Amino acid sequence: MRTFRIVGAAALFMFSTGVLQAQTGEQQKMKTFIDGLMKKMTIDEKIGQLNLVVGGEATTGSVVSTDVDTKIRKGQVGGIFSVTSPGRIRKIQELAVNQSRLKIPIIFGLDVIHGYKTIFPIPLGLASTWDMNLIEQSARIAAQEASADGLNWTFSPMVDVSRDPRWGRISEGSGEDPYLGSVIAKAMVRGYQGKSLADNNTIMACVKHFALYGAAEAGRDYNTTDMSRVRMYNDYLPPYKAAIDAGVGSVMSSFNEIDGIPATANKWLLTDVLRKQWGFKGMVVSDYTSVNEMIDHGMGDLQQVSALALKAGLDMDMVGEGFLTTLKKSLNEGKVTVADIDRACRMVLEAKYKLGLFEDPYRYCDENRARTEIFNEANRRKAREIAAKSFVLLKNQQQVLPLQKKGTIALVGPLANAKENMVGTWSVAADVTKPISLLAGLKEVLGANGKVLYAKGANVTEDSLLEVRTSIFGKPFERDNRPADVMIREALAAAEQADVVVAALGELAEMTGEASSRSDLTLPQSQVNLLQALVKTGKPVVVVLFTGRPLAIPDVDKIAPAILNVWFGGSEAGHAIADVLFGDINPSGKLTATFPMNVGQVPIYYSHKNTGRPLNGQWFQKFRSNYLDVPNEPLYPFGYGLSYTTFTYGDLKLSSQSLKGNQRLTASITVTNTGKYAGEEVVQLYIRDVVGTNTRPLKELKGFQKISLQPGESRQVSFTITPEDLKFYNHELKYDWEAGDFTIFIGGNARDLKSGQVNWQK
Ligand code: NOJ
């Protein structure tokens, strides 16, 4: 045993030294290559590498790139995004490689956010799986497909923590929690980048939007953010840092300001934190015209803001061409240095080198791969599986669900037959004629066993202007111009003939996403009217809720016996929903963002502080921290989600009540499946630091395990806790733990928990 250990340790040492040497050797090779190349480059050519242009298939601002071919020939383009297909990309690459003086290949990017052509659930839905393996697989498939179509760079993962469901882009992230957001960030980076960026089926990831974009004031997109450093470091920065630690190749700066300086020109953020504190070695790109937008922020003219951005640490300028058109002038006037330009240019060239583009600029241009690896059967099957695991069962009174595969089902609602909406926001490459609608999925899974009667029942909203606003970004909608009562009557006629009613309600896909903030989080009145009428029939009603954000729907919760939240499930949404409705798959998703009672509770999140006047017991109490008109509690808490079976938690057992130094604590609990179905449960660990030099949250997620149990089966679930899990940034931004009492909680959501106490001394 002893001999083995020595041999093992020595071998490990030799192995890791070998790996280190190989890595340093690789880095040296890259440096030598890029030094050589940069020696040949003129200042104009170096500035040209910093220019990222848009190809026109998906633009997210009013400015678009022009004269792209000419610019490529002149060496004025470093990267292009939003062009797809190996044929088109090869042609553009040929321009760069054959017709520009130095033949530097171009990097090709796209917003591959939750899948490329095979679309997975929106990121908020993906997060709700709490399954890192599946999340990684979704990113792996996305990379496989995107790289087969000529791409080598994605603007994902988006890891902005958000506690404000008014913000439309909450749909693109993982929700409110920094710990969960961090593990997901890592899984996504692993999925996209695989083992090596140089492999032809991996793509470079870009963590965004650095930083704090999810904390826009009032949930209005692009709005100001302002928060303490303590909050930044503890609650908002960890997921970006996690992506950096996982080796993400690039970072995108955000639109918002931080401490009064837009992120895109924020030296503290882009250099001090990102490079110096976190050791990031990759490329930093701006968001879409975010350099130019600093003019409107009030930071100066284009020359000035471009110089500010470069000096702050920005390497690549997306679309706005402030770098391209002003940096030389700034250099001549002494406002930027050659060293500043060299640094940025090196970052861009290194990214291309790591992707293997200097070795073979066409390595991602394989027509055959494009034919076989995109939107194929296997990828769609995986999308169906993942979608089903992302759904969250919010309510299931008297076991209305699962449905039996027989009889007549009335499927009503504006989202029932809306396949173009299934892929959700920000799925730019999707063919919206391909997704499976709920109507199609339900019919197919039910087959000849029963009958589906369909009626639209209502428009998504009576506000036709709102509908128009939400269709600007690519998703068509079909408004039904019949009067509301005629539509409801048709739905009721279907319901009368049915054994059960499935009501497909919620938001349109583009009611969330970029520039789609809402000040009202309720279900639109047209749909509430429909639901009320359906419930009155006395037939069991199952609400299938489509949404890209937490909604405030206490009225729906009150009257609907069952609610299945299905987000926007992607290409296979309709099949996946049917799989869950009929019980072929038992729902296991859990919320990663709190559902409020009303919009006035926002921002709302589980890991809040106690305050000096917490509400002890019942609402309402004068001179206590609460509202006159609504309790403090949310509608559905973080981590919440039901199953067709039931799970019972035993008592929490701690391996010790008092610990010292680097000792470890084991917290265990026995979970039993007390229902009739096999099912999966996400067992969650939270910790509260009871007394500190800084006030601490009431609880913070520190671990979770997704387990699978047969009916009647019990399993002991254990978590190992070390002082590392107790650390936080204090008011001096010192990252450490403090001795004292801690409460350990384990349970199935952030509200219903078993707890125990420990004392931990240094
Ligand atoms: C703007 C968005 O904020 C960002 O997420 C996206 O990657 C870029 N547009 C490029 O499309």
Side-chain angles (χ1 to χ4, degrees), residues 142-165:
Q144 186 89 28
E145 291 194 354
S147 61
D149 220 14
L151 299 160
N152 41 47
W153 187 23
T154 176
F155 303 133
S156 172
M158 136 114 163
V159 304
D160 305 319
V161 165
S162 183
R163 294 164 172 190
D164 193 333

Side-chain angles (χ1 to χ4, degrees), residues 666-736:
T666 306
S668 340
I669 205 158
T670 299
V671 185
T672 306
N673 180 343
T674 44
K676 291 197 304 251
Y677 300 87
E680 288 180 294
E681 168 73 339
V682 181
V683 183
Q684 302 156 40
L685 167 78
Y686 297 85
I687 299 181
R688 177 179 182 186
D689 184 351
V690 181
V691 177
T693 54
N694 277 57
T695 62
R696 306 285 295 118
L698 278 180
K699 53 181 90 96
E700 292 173 292
L701 183 72
K702 294 291 178 180
F704 59 89
Q705 290 177 41
K706 191 161 186 176
I707 58 164
S708 173
L709 293 176
Q710 294 299 316
E713 190 185 349
S714 291
R715 170 109 30 98
Q716 177 168 305
V717 178
S718 300
F719 294 91
T720 306
I721 300 164
T722 72
E724 208 44 49
D725 302 306
L726 311 177
K727 286 186 176 171
F728 66 99
Y729 289 91
N730 72 6
H731 55 286
E732 288 164 342
L733 297 184
K734 198 170 137 226
Y735 187 60
D736 204 356

Side-chain angles (χ1 to χ4, degrees), residues 479-552:
R479 193 170 174 79
D480 196 319
N481 287 318
R482 289 176 297 167
D485 58 328
V486 173
M487 291 172 74
I488 290 185
R489 270 206 302 280
E490 186 186 51
L492 293 180
E496 288 302 342
Q497 298 170 58
D499 303 300
V500 61
V501 179
V502 173
L505 309 177
E507 301 186 290
L508 288 166
E510 292 305 328
M511 281 165 90
T512 53
E514 188 170 349
S516 289
S517 294
R518 292 181 66 196
S519 68
D520 175 1
L521 298 176
T522 60
L523 193 65
Q525 194 57 46
S526 56
Q527 300 188 58
V528 174
N529 294 345
L530 171 65
L531 180 63
Q532 282 169 346
L534 292 170
V535 170
K536 268 200 204 127
T537 63
K539 300 279 164 111
V541 178
V542 175
V543 171
V544 173
L545 189 65
F546 292 84
T547 175
R549 55 157 61 82
L551 291 177

Side-chain angles (χ1 to χ4, degrees), residues 240-311:
Y240 308 104
K241 164 94 168 35
I244 307 295
D245 292 344
V248 73
S250 61
V251 170
M252 185 186 293
S253 70
S254 56
F255 286 121
N256 56 282
E257 66 173 62
I258 293 167
D259 293 339
I261 300 179
T264 302
N266 196 312
K267 190 159 192 293
W268 172 78
L269 186 74
L270 299 187
T271 298
D272 297 351
V273 175
L274 186 62
R275 304 267 183 208
K276 295 189 184 153
Q277 290 175 25
W278 296 355
F280 178 61
K281 300 239 163 10
M283 168 171 94
V284 183
V285 62
S286 77
D287 202 344
Y288 204 104
T289 59
S290 70
V291 172
N292 313 53
E293 288 169 25
M294 287 192 280
I295 302 171
D296 282 329
H297 274 283
M299 301 293 291
D301 61 14
L302 188 58
Q303 183 186 351
Q304 174 143 351
V305 295
S306 303
L308 281 172
L310 180 77
K311 288 205 90 62

Side-chain angles (χ1 to χ4, degrees), residues 272-547:
D272 297 351
V273 175
L274 186 62
R275 304 267 183 208
K276 295 189 184 153
Q277 290 175 25
W278 296 355
F280 178 61
K281 300 239 163 10
M283 168 171 94
V284 183
V285 62
S286 77
D287 202 344
Y288 204 104
T289 59
S290 70
V291 172
N292 313 53
E293 288 169 25
M294 287 192 280
I295 302 171
D296 282 329
H297 274 283
M299 301 293 291
D301 61 14
L302 188 58
Q303 183 186 351
Q304 174 143 351
V305 295
S306 303
L308 281 172
L310 180 77
K311 288 205 90 62
L314 190 81
D315 302 318
M316 208 175 205
D317 175 8
M318 189 192 286
V319 180
E321 300 201 339
F323 276 10
L324 188 72
T325 55
T326 71
L327 282 188
K328 193 148 175 214
K329 187 160 182 268
S330 292
L331 180 66
N332 294 338
E333 293 171 3
K335 291 176 177 147
V336 302
T337 62
V338 172
D340 294 327
I341 294 170
D342 277 359
R343 179 220 72 224
C345 178
R346 183 177 291 276
M347 288 302 138
V348 176
L349 296 176
E350 281 191 5
K352 295 179 180 185
Y353 183 96
K354 289 178 204 155
L355 286 164
L357 289 171
F358 287 108
E359 214 175 72
D360 176 7
Y362 308 108
R363 74 190 322 149
Y364 303 92
C365 298
D366 179 344
E367 300 276 358
N368 190 40
R369 279 191 61 203
R371 264 190 304 276
T372 55
E373 293 179 23
I374 298 175
F375 203 66
N376 61 24
E377 189 58 39
N379 295 355
R380 295 213 305 272
R381 215 175 310 121
K382 194 41 89 176
R384 180 170 177 167
E385 178 196 340
I386 296 178
K389 301 242 170 153
S390 74
F391 304 154
V392 183
L393 184 62
L394 297 174
K395 189 175 173 190
N396 192 19
Q397 227 169 27
Q398 277 137 28
Q399 314 253 286
V400 177
L401 288 173
L403 303 179
Q404 298 192 341
K405 275 190 195 157
K406 62 177 195 198
T408 302
I409 298 171
L411 174 64
V412 297
L415 275 312
N417 191 20
K419 63 178 168 191
E420 66 283 356
N421 273 282
M422 298 299 101
V423 290
T425 189
W426 231 190
S427 37
V428 279
D431 175 347
V432 293
T433 65
K434 295 273 170 61
I436 309 297
S437 70
L438 176 53
L439 177 60
L442 208 60
K443 277 187 169 165
E444 195 184 314
V445 175
L446 182 61
N449 301 315
K451 203 159 80 183
V452 178
L453 302 174
Y454 165 71
K456 184 163 179 177
N459 284 303
V460 166
T461 162
E462 276 312 306
D463 182 350
S464 56
L465 286 179
L466 175 63
E467 253 187 4
V468 172
R469 275 181 226 130
T470 55
S471 67
I472 293 169
F473 197 58
K475 304 245 163 44
F477 71 91
E478 275 166 38
R479 193 170 174 79
D480 196 319
N481 287 318
R482 289 176 297 167
D485 58 328
V486 173
M487 291 172 74
I488 290 185
R489 270 206 302 280
E490 186 186 51
L492 293 180
E496 288 302 342
Q497 298 170 58
D499 303 300
V500 61
V501 179
V502 173
L505 309 177
E507 301 186 290
L508 288 166
E510 292 305 328
M511 281 165 90
T512 53
E514 188 170 349
S516 289
S517 294
R518 292 181 66 196
S519 68
D520 175 1
L521 298 176
T522 60
L523 193 65
Q525 194 57 46
S526 56
Q527 300 188 58
V528 174
N529 294 345
L530 171 65
L531 180 63
Q532 282 169 346
L534 292 170
V535 170
K536 268 200 204 127
T537 63
K539 300 279 164 111
V541 178
V542 175
V543 171
V544 173
L545 189 65
F546 292 84
T547 175

Side-chain angles (χ1 to χ4, degrees), residues 58 60 81-82 111 113 155 169 172 208-209 213 222 252 255 287-288 318 426 514:
T60 56
F81 72 105
S82 288
D111 286 282
I113 306 297
F155 303 133
R169 301 194 81 173
E172 285 180 60
K208 69 186 189 186
H209 305 80
Y213 183 36
Y222 318 123
M252 185 186 293
F255 286 121
D287 202 344
Y288 204 104
M318 189 192 286
W426 231 190
E514 188 170 349

